[in-house]
Amino acid sequence: MWKNYLYSAFLIILFLFPCCIPSQTLINHTTNYFGPNANPVPDFTSATIPKNTEFSVYCDYYFGYGDQTADQLLKVEIPLLPEKISVKLWIVPIEYYTVTDAVKERRMMSRNSGLASGDFYLQTRIALFNEKEHKIAVIFNATLKTASGSDFINRRFFNTAGYYFDTEIGKSFIVRGFLNEIRLVANAGFYSWDVQTPNNNVQDDAVMYGLKVILKKKNLSWENTISGYSGWIKRADDYGDRPIVLATKLNLKGKKNTYFLQYQYGIKYFPFNQIRIGAVFPLAALTPNFF
């Protein structure tokens, strides 16, 4: 008789045990389920390293698709060897966001609006080939993305880190007529970030790519860029680790500073339109001089 009671108690415990384990929600660590600054398509330059330290200030406004985000982006690039080796750092110190109820439910957020601070990036840049000597510029970048962003519960920034390696290849063509110069830049690399799952953590590895065309006329330049990355995880059709963006940017170079205006459109898996204004300030006094 006691064996029957013991067997019945075992079945009851076995049935109730899964209910006692807290469920873990599967989070999609992609641009399709987070804010625009969580894991954006990385920017790439015109395949140049500056002579002097440059401090850049960006003001961004993202809109459309039920998410409105305003933020500031700060960047500084410090050439350790002018035009050869530099260190670049950037961060979104604060963003303000507001989303619709539909977006809140889809991302499983706890509120519709709020403030968040972003991830810190650290990049090392090395010029492998100089355009003056080799007719082509080649720059290698190694970048670390920290998990320092806040408000993961509202899907603003990942709670995981990442890194990427990419190479910029640039070539200028001097022309006569209305334009002074046409510059072509290609970018290719490897991007990886941690993805949390209920059972274990995995890495989403992606191929990075990009193409930039720059038209120059005296102190004006017009950039047109298409770029993206393609990951391997396929949980659903809209998982979203394969974003593609198209950007057009107008630069005005003054006596010292450069000012710019940019519009970016998310072609795929990046549900945001962006308007960006900003300025680049050369800081010769803060440029290291080791020789």
Side-chain angles (χ1 to χ4, degrees):
M1 181 66 68
W2 63 270
K3 291 183 178 181
N4 292 334
Y5 286 121
L6 184 62
Y7 180 71
S8 299
F10 174 76
L11 291 179
I12 293 174
I13 294 174
L14 186 64
F15 177 77
L16 293 178
F17 181 74
C19 302
C20 300
I21 301 177
S23 61
Q24 186 172 355
T25 304
L26 189 64
I27 303 300
N28 295 331
H29 284 75
T30 70
T31 56
N32 212 25
Y33 283 86
F34 273 75
N37 294 306
N39 209 44
V41 175
D43 291 333
F44 62 98
T45 73
S46 58
T48 57
I49 293 176
K51 293 181 180 180
N52 297 314
T53 296
E54 291 184 346
F55 178 66
S56 303
V57 179
Y58 302 72
C59 294
D60 298 334
Y61 175 60
Y62 295 91
F63 61 96
Y65 309 97
D67 187 317
Q68 297 183 64
T69 301
D71 65 69
Q72 301 82 40
L73 173 62
L74 304 179
K75 285 187 180 183
V76 60
E77 183 168 6
I78 305 171
L80 305 180
L81 290 176
E83 299 182 296
K84 294 182 179 179
I85 300 176
S86 71
V87 174
K88 182 184 285 189
L89 308 93
W90 67 92
I91 189 174
V92 174
I94 191 169
E95 69 169 24
Y96 172 76
Y97 64 89
T98 178
V99 303
T100 62
D101 290 335
V103 171
K104 174 187 173 185
E105 181 178 354
R106 182 173 184 269
R107 298 180 186 172
M108 295 178 288
M109 300 168 58
S110 64
R111 62 186 181 212
N112 291 79
S113 62
L115 296 172
S117 58
D119 297 314
F120 178 78
Y121 290 76
L122 173 62
Q123 182 180 77
T124 299
R125 311 185 68 216
I126 302 174
L128 303 179
F129 291 97
N130 185 290
E131 193 166 357
K132 296 178 181 178
E133 299 176 0
H134 301 89
K135 308 298 183 182
I136 193 171
V138 179
I139 294 177
F140 174 75
N141 303 312
T143 310
L144 172 66
K145 170 185 175 294
T146 68
S148 56
S150 68
D151 215 1
F152 167 74
I153 193 172
N154 287 299
R155 310 300 180 250
R156 301 315 300 177
F157 294 94
F158 291 0
N159 59 343
T160 61
Y163 61 89
Y164 60 88
F165 303 97
D166 66 295
T167 301
E168 302 172 6
I169 303 174
K171 173 68 176 176
S172 288
F173 301 90
I174 305 302
V175 296
R176 296 180 179 179
F178 178 74
L179 296 174
N180 302 133
E181 179 185 336
I182 298 176
R183 184 167 182 80
L184 303 179
V185 183
N187 180 258
F190 171 80
Y191 196 0
S192 181
W193 63 97
D194 292 333
V195 177
Q196 291 185 338
T197 66
N199 299 321
N200 60 347
N201 292 349
V202 298
Q203 282 192 333
D204 196 348
D205 302 323
V207 175
M208 290 171 50
Y209 56 88
L211 181 64
K212 187 190 299 284
V213 179
I214 307 174
L215 308 177
K216 296 184 178 181
K217 175 67 173 180
K218 295 183 179 179
N219 61 338
L220 285 173
S221 63
W222 182 28
E223 301 181 21
N224 291 280
T225 306
I226 185 169
S227 56
Y229 59 80
S230 180
W232 67 270
I233 296 179
K234 297 180 180 178
R235 291 177 181 166
D237 292 337
D238 67 341
Y239 181 67
D241 65 348
R242 299 180 178 183
I244 305 173
V245 296
L246 176 66
T248 182
K249 181 181 181 183
L250 187 64
N251 303 284
L252 173 62
K253 185 174 179 59
K255 293 182 179 180
K256 292 184 178 180
N257 308 323
T258 300
Y259 307 92
F260 56 84
L261 172 65
Q262 173 178 291
Y263 172 74
Q264 179 179 275
Y265 172 73
I267 297 177
K268 184 178 181 181
Y269 294 143
F270 191 76
F272 309 95
N273 299 309
Q274 178 210 63
I275 295 177
R276 165 175 286 179
I277 61 173
V280 181
F281 305 97
L283 303 173
L286 298 182
T287 302
N289 185 5
F290 298 108
F291 302 99

